């Protein structure tokens, strides 16, 4: 997994990320032209994230959120992530509950696994049947299968891990951050000033601009802290008895990183309930670099911690940089909620969440207003 998602492979595929985030901005321009009432952007972000993973794994992409392939994927992932939420695993925490099996949940898990195997199995077969043998992640896994290292089901579930881990995390992060930006126009103004000063209006931001746009970098880090896609990390079990801070942790205990708890800890982050990118202005390193140093100096814990740190961290950071810098370069994001008594749109309520393995804000509406006349020309490559 590390070789297919590592830094080198991500660099080699950077053209693909670049293309998909340009197309996303074009799609948002088109969608915005159709309505003045605003819309919930989740499906656009999810479509982009899916296209990226699907191109990397299977050389396959779709043009629209209405495409049946995208719809089937969205259904499958929605069900799987809903089933995988921590509260559905209550017997992991209270073993006595194993005496009262939850047959409905158990059957739903089996049905969901069967559907996923069928969906991804079909895609793996398309790679096997591809006469041109175009390179992709699945082809690399199939080589490992030929060497006897993986079997058919391993290939399908490795693809499942990449799809599951690499799509909803990105799209939920962008969906949260868009809402936070709509609630905080003063943050957008600062970002716009930085982008106008450093990038100008005749080209879009690129990954290579990262070091020169510290405020955008800080917005991304604050987004992961203040409203990241994961509240409770992936459950892990420990092999042997352990001691931590005077607590005895018996072997086989389930251990979960309470990311939300850390991110809202006042000792670590002053006024943690405030969306304040400035707190990260002094953090020049990438989250990947900081995750490999002393935990006291980490920016945030959105990508997990320790040996099971997100394998896709390099790709995720590139995607967030392209997504956030280009959203802000192209648009002013306006809250399109109904007006409150003060005549201003009611702020989007970020405390209301939809819970799953990834968490989402409740549906909201925003308008993406083009910032200048050059946006569409640059997006279509005419500038
Ligand atoms: C903002 C986006 C992302 C966030 C917040 C995120 C976060 C996480 C977290 C918290 C974990 C669990 C770590 C643990 O088990 O303790 C994880 C695992 C993983 N992530 Fe990400 N991730 C993101 C994007 C991606 C992307 C784009 C990919 C790949 C294309 C990816 C691939 C993976 C994989 C393969 C694992 C499993 C690693 C393992 O089990 O050892 N992630 N991620």
């Amino acid at each position: 997994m590390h070789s297919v998602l590592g830094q080198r492979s991500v660099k080699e595929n950077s053209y693909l990320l670049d293309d998909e985030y340009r197309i996303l901005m074009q799609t948002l321009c088109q969608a915005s032209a159709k309505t003045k009432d605003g819309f919930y952007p989740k499906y656009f972000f999810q479509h982009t994230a899916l296209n990226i993973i699907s191109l990397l794994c299977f050389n396959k992409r779709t043009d629209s959120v209405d495409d049946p392939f995208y719809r089937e994927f969205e259904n499958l992932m929605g069900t799987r992530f809903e089933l995988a939420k921590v509260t559905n695993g209550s017997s992991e925490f209270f073993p006595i509950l194993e005496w009262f099996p939850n047959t409905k949940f158990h059957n739903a898990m089996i049905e969901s696994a069967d559907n996923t195997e069928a969906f991804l199995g079909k895609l793996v077969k398309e790679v096997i049947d591809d006469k041109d043998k175009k390179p992709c992640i699945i082809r690399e896994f199939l080589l490992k299968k030929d060497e006897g290292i993986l079997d058919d089901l391993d290939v399908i579930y490795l693809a499942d891990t990449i799809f599951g881990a690499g799509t909803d995390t990105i799209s939920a992060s962008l969906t949260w951050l868009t809402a936070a930006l709509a609630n905080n126009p003063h943050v957008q103004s600062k970002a716009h000033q930085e982008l106008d000063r450093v990038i100008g209006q005749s080209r879009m931001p690129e990954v290579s601009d990262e070091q020169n746009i510290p405020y955008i970098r800080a917005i991304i880090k604050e987004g992961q802290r203040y409203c990241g896609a994961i509240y409770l990390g992936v459950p892990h079990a420990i092999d042997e008895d352990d001691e931590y801070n005077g607590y005895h942790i018996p072997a086989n205990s389930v251990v979960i990183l309470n990311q939300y708890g850390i991110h809202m800890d006042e000792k670590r982050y002053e006024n943690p309930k405030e969306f304040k990118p400035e707190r990260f202005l002094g953090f020049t390193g990438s989250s990947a670099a900081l995750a490999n140093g002393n935990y006291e100096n980490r920016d945030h814990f959105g990508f997990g911690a320790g040996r099971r740190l997100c394998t896709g961290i390099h790709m995720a950071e590139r995607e967030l940089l392209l997504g956030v810098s280009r959203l802000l370069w192209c648009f002013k994001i306006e809250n399109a909620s109904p007006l409150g008594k003060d005549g201003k749109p009611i702020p989007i309520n970020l405390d209301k969440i939809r819970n799953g393995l990834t968490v989402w804000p409740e549906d909201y509406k925003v308008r993406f207003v083009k910032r200048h006349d050059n946006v569409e020309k640059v997006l279509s490559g005419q500038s």
Side-chain angles (χ1 to χ4, degrees):
M1 195 67 96
H2 283 87
S3 65
V4 293
L5 294 176
Q7 230 166 343
R8 209 183 74 201
S9 151
V10 172
K11 261 192 194 151
E12 280 167 13
N13 291 308
S14 58
Y15 68 93
L16 187 151
L17 268 55
D18 191 66
D19 261 6
E20 291 303 325
Y21 278 96
R22 184 183 49 78
I23 295 169
L24 169 65
M25 302 307 145
Q26 280 176 319
T27 317
L28 289 173
C29 278
Q30 286 153 9
S32 303
K34 284 189 198 148
T35 170
K36 292 215 168 347
D37 298 337
F39 53 87
Y40 185 45
K42 166 185 173 173
Y43 302 102
F44 295 95
F45 297 148
Q46 203 177 36
H47 183 236
T48 298
L50 171 67
N51 267 344
I52 288 171
I53 297 292
S54 179
L55 279 165
L56 289 173
C57 284
F58 300 107
N59 292 311
K60 189 179 173 85
R61 78 179 295 284
T62 60
D63 284 334
S64 141
V65 287
D66 298 321
D67 189 286
F69 172 76
Y70 168 73
R71 287 282 165 212
E72 196 181 346
F73 165 83
E74 206 243 317
N75 261 332
L76 273 175
M77 284 298 152
T79 311
R80 276 170 74 70
F81 275 47
E82 169 66 24
L83 288 169
K85 66 185 174 192
V86 170
T87 43
N88 273 338
S90 338
S91 58
E92 304 270 3
F93 308 103
F94 307 107
I96 194 167
L97 294 177
E98 281 173 18
W99 290 91
F100 309 99
N102 183 346
T103 320
K104 204 170 143 210
F105 169 66
H106 185 77
N107 290 344
M109 282 296 268
I110 291 178
E111 190 187 339
S112 161
D114 286 348
N115 291 341
T116 307
E117 273 172 40
F119 177 76
L120 291 173
K122 237 177 0 196
L123 294 171
V124 171
K125 183 156 183 324
E126 283 176 23
V127 175
I128 296 171
D129 293 345
D130 172 21
K131 291 197 184 69
D132 298 333
K133 304 225 173 302
K134 280 201 278 306
C136 61
I137 289 180
I138 295 303
R139 191 163 303 289
E140 291 193 33
F141 290 159
L142 288 169
L143 289 175
K144 298 282 173 220
K145 191 186 128 192
D146 294 344
E147 291 167 24
I149 297 168
L150 300 175
D151 65 22
D152 285 328
L153 221 49
D154 290 334
V155 174
I156 288 179
Y157 276 99
L158 280 169
D160 181 48
T161 305
I162 300 181
F163 266 75
T167 51
D168 268 19
T169 45
I170 290 285
S171 40
S173 297
L174 291 175
T175 307
W176 278 111
L177 198 42
T178 300
L181 289 166
N183 277 353
N184 290 279
H186 66 285
V187 170
Q188 290 193 62
S189 297
K190 282 191 181 178
H192 291 154
Q193 281 167 28
E194 178 174 270
L195 289 166
D196 288 347
R197 195 180 65 248
V198 179
I199 310 292
Q201 298 193 340
S202 57
R203 70 170 181 92
M204 262 187 308
E206 309 286 342
V207 170
S208 54
D209 293 312
E210 203 253 359
Q211 284 300 318
N212 301 323
I213 44 176
Y215 196 66
I216 301 289
R217 185 175 52 211
I219 290 177
I220 295 168
K221 289 187 192 295
E222 178 69 340
Q224 287 297 306
R225 182 203 70 82
Y226 173 80
C227 52
I230 298 176
Y231 276 24
L232 287 176
V234 177
H236 294 298
I238 65 165
D239 291 338
E240 322 171 341
D241 285 12
D242 204 354
E243 296 288 330
Y244 178 72
N245 270 358
Y247 292 97
H248 175 66
I249 309 172
N252 299 322
S253 301
V254 174
V255 179
I256 300 179
L257 184 70
N258 182 355
Q259 295 179 196
Y260 182 79
I262 300 173
H263 290 158
M264 291 297 144
D265 180 358
E266 287 176 359
K267 284 192 225 112
R268 206 175 170 99
Y269 304 103
E270 203 182 307
N271 298 329
K273 291 262 177 193
E274 227 179 277
F275 180 67
K276 200 173 163 213
E278 288 73 10
R279 69 175 90 240
F280 287 116
L281 279 176
F283 288 70
T284 51
S286 67
S287 295
L290 294 166
N292 285 311
N294 182 334
Y295 81 94
E296 290 288 355
N297 301 329
R298 273 190 75 171
D299 44 4
H300 59 77
F301 290 76
F303 294 108
R307 270 166 49 194
R308 301 304 292 270
L309 183 82
C310 172
T311 321
I313 190 166
H314 300 294
M315 187 161 143
E317 290 206 84
R318 273 187 177 232
E319 286 202 51
L320 292 176
L321 183 76
L322 289 173
V324 176
S325 64
R326 289 183 179 181
L327 270 179
L328 286 161
W329 184 86
C330 291
F331 306 110
K332 184 171 169 224
I333 301 165
E334 284 181 359
N335 180 0
S337 305
L339 301 184
K341 282 188 192 135
D342 59 0
K344 293 183 185 158
I346 299 167
I348 300 167
N349 186 346
L350 298 182
D351 290 327
K352 272 194 169 175
I353 61 163
R354 288 218 221 114
N355 200 359
L357 190 56
T358 45
V359 288
W360 296 84
E362 290 272 301
D363 288 15
Y364 62 81
K365 278 188 178 178
V366 287
R367 279 183 289 269
F368 293 91
V369 182
K370 270 180 285 168
R371 284 187 56 233
H372 46 82
D373 293 341
N374 244 8
V375 169
E376 268 161 329
K377 267 194 229 153
V378 171
L379 287 174
S380 63
Q382 288 168 18
S383 170

